[in-house]
């Protein structure tokens, strides 16, 4: 169950990152650097090192913002799942607990 949860949350985080990273607004970024930045934060960091001037800084900033949002989203989903699981456990425990005499 833990491995499946990690895989699902990782996929959600990756999808959010790729959806929100906005590198099209930054001028002077070649197509290969754009593709690397959309893939991973590490790819964006490597691509940013190769870009001159403010383009690299802007690219890395956009990637960090997208990564932060993806972590916040995954954290929120995780919190909701844990609350639901906790409530389910409490209600299930109440139903199975023996009455006191």
């Amino acid at each position: 169950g833990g491995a499946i949860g990690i895989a699902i949350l990782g996929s959600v985080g990756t999808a959010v990152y790729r959806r929100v990273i906005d590198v099209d607004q930054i001028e002077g970024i070649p197509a290969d650097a754009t593709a690397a930045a959309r893939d991973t934060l590490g790819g964006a960091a490597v691509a940013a090192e190769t870009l001159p001037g403010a383009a690299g800084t802007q690219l890395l900033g956009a990637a960090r913002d997208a990564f932060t949002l993806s972590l916040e989203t995954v954290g929120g989903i995780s919190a909701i799942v844990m609350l639901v699981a906790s409530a389910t456990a409490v209600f299930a425990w109440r139903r199975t607990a023996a009455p006191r005499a």
Side-chain angles (χ1 to χ4, degrees):
I4 291 172
I6 290 170
I8 291 170
L9 291 173
S11 296
V12 168
T14 301
V16 169
Y17 173 83
R18 289 181 178 169
R19 183 169 177 88
V20 300
I21 189 165
D22 190 17
V23 294
D24 295 330
Q25 302 298 329
I26 304 169
E27 297 202 18
I29 299 179
D32 59 336
T34 300
R38 283 198 175 114
D39 282 342
T40 63
L41 177 62
V46 170
E49 290 177 0
T50 64
L51 297 175
T57 304
Q58 290 175 343
L59 175 62
L60 190 56
R64 286 180 177 165
D65 290 344
F67 187 74
T68 300
L69 181 61
S70 71
L71 284 180
E72 290 171 351
T73 302
V74 168
I77 291 169
S78 298
I80 291 168
V81 169
M82 290 307 296
L83 286 172
V84 169
S86 297
T88 302
V90 166
F91 290 120
W93 180 74
R94 284 185 181 174
R95 295 172 82 193
T96 59
R100 294 183 184 188

